Amino acid sequence: QLQLQESGPGLVKPSETLSLTCTVSDGSISSSTYYWGWIRQPPGKGLEWIGSVYYSGSTHYNPSLKSRVTISIDTSKNQFSLKLSSVTAADTAVYYCARSHCSGSNCYYNYYMDVWGKGTTVTVSS
Amino acid sequence: DIQMTQSPSSVSASVGDRVTITCRASQGISNWLAWYQQKPGRAPKVLIYAASSLQSGVPLRFSGSRSGTEFTLTISSLQPEDFATYYCQQANSFPLTFGQGTKVEIK
């Protein structure tokens, strides 16, 4: 059964770059029927989609974070990664990676997250 | 961006109760809506996709429906393990957006 695991520093200083990697096991990241994405949840708050990447490298980002976010994919390692620059305390959250199902010949609708990692807590503090 | 307005923000219910949660999209999203359940300290879990399709392994007491841009998640007979927070998510187009969440609490 496909599993996702987030990894990366749990503590990041303000103004620095948050970097996380999601490793996909027991399945291939090189599938045309899925996007791979990042979602975060600040303490006590709701879910916020950060962005998604396709196996081809095509990306989509949350407009509110777009200027600071880069999501990339490495099919040779079966991993995808998140970089969030210029972080502040407002970026403190649990960060989840997830597989996004999609439909259509060009994978252009029905994007729901059907497999999630367990999440990793990232705190922004000096 | 498509805004998702979810209500109520919380509901108190007893075991065996029927619980209904509503989500309204700011524009048409066809049937492309998903519902998730999240328990404290755990990742969300998809319950319903495409408005009314039950994810494999999810109990039949969960159901979803659509009327225009309004979507409903119904738990027909609340069980102890159903006390959690529920989120809707529009799955029509990027950027993906979630509702604010509904916490189902024990009455």
Side-chain angles (χ1 to χ4, degrees):
Chain A
Q1 180 158 338
L2 188 89
Q3 295 184 54
L4 283 69
Q5 178 68 57
E6 305 89 352
S7 59
L11 181 64
V12 182
K13 290 182 168 55
S15 80
E16 295 190 343
T17 296
L18 179 161
S19 296
L20 296 174
T21 296
C22 184
T23 300
V24 179
S25 56
D26 297 322
S28 175
I29 204 170
S30 301
S31 170
S32 62
T33 55
Y34 301 105
Y35 267 83
W36 305 89
W38 291 95
I39 300 95
R40 71 179 183 178
Q41 186 170 37
K45 296 188 177 180
L47 301 167
E48 180 181 36
W49 174 77
I50 299 170
S52 299
V53 61
Y54 200 43
Y55 77 101
S56 64
S58 172
T59 55
H60 297 274
Y61 297 133
N62 187 322
S64 69
L65 299 169
K66 188 173 184 177
S67 64
R68 299 193 291 130
V69 171
T70 302
I71 296 176
S72 58
I73 192 166
D74 187 335
T75 55
S76 66
K77 294 182 179 179
N78 234 30
Q79 295 176 333
F80 61 104
S81 299
L82 167 70
K83 291 189 184 300
L84 181 65
S85 64
S86 305
V87 298
T88 69
D91 296 309
T92 293
V94 176
Y95 285 75
Y96 296 100
C97 60
R99 185 179 78 173
S100 300
H101 176 279
C102 58
S103 300
S105 58
N106 293 318
C107 194
Y108 68 96
Y109 65 97
N110 198 18
Y111 307 105
Y112 65 91
M113 278 66 82
D114 63 349
V115 182
W116 295 68
K118 292 183 178 181
T120 188
T121 298
V122 178
T123 301
V124 179
S125 175
S126 55
Chain B
D1 301 0
I2 300 171
Q3 307 304 316
M4 305 303 297
T5 304
Q6 189 174 338
S7 62
S9 57
S10 65
V11 57
S12 293
S14 302
V15 172
D17 284 353
R18 182 183 184 89
V19 172
T20 299
I21 299 168
T22 299
C23 200
R24 179 174 286 109
S26 61
Q27 63 190 75
I29 59 170
S30 187
N31 283 334
W32 310 125
L33 182 112
W35 289 98
Y36 300 87
Q37 177 193 66
Q38 187 180 32
K39 295 181 179 179
R42 304 287 297 272
K45 166 189 168 185
V46 65
L47 301 174
I48 301 281
Y49 63 93
S52 60
S53 296
L54 198 66
Q55 178 73 350
S56 175
V58 173
L60 293 175
R61 62 181 179 274
F62 291 94
S63 64
S65 63
R66 169 201 171 195
S67 177
T69 59
E70 186 169 288
F71 298 82
T72 301
L73 172 69
T74 299
I75 310 172
S76 60
S77 177
L78 199 65
Q79 297 302 299
E81 60 267 31
D82 300 336
F83 291 96
T85 301
Y86 295 83
Y87 294 93
C88 62
Q89 175 237 318
Q90 69 84 9
N92 182 73
S93 59
F94 292 115
L96 306 181
T97 46
F98 290 90
Q100 303 94 316
T102 297
K103 187 173 184 178
V104 177
E105 301 174 299
I106 301 172
K107 193 171 186 178

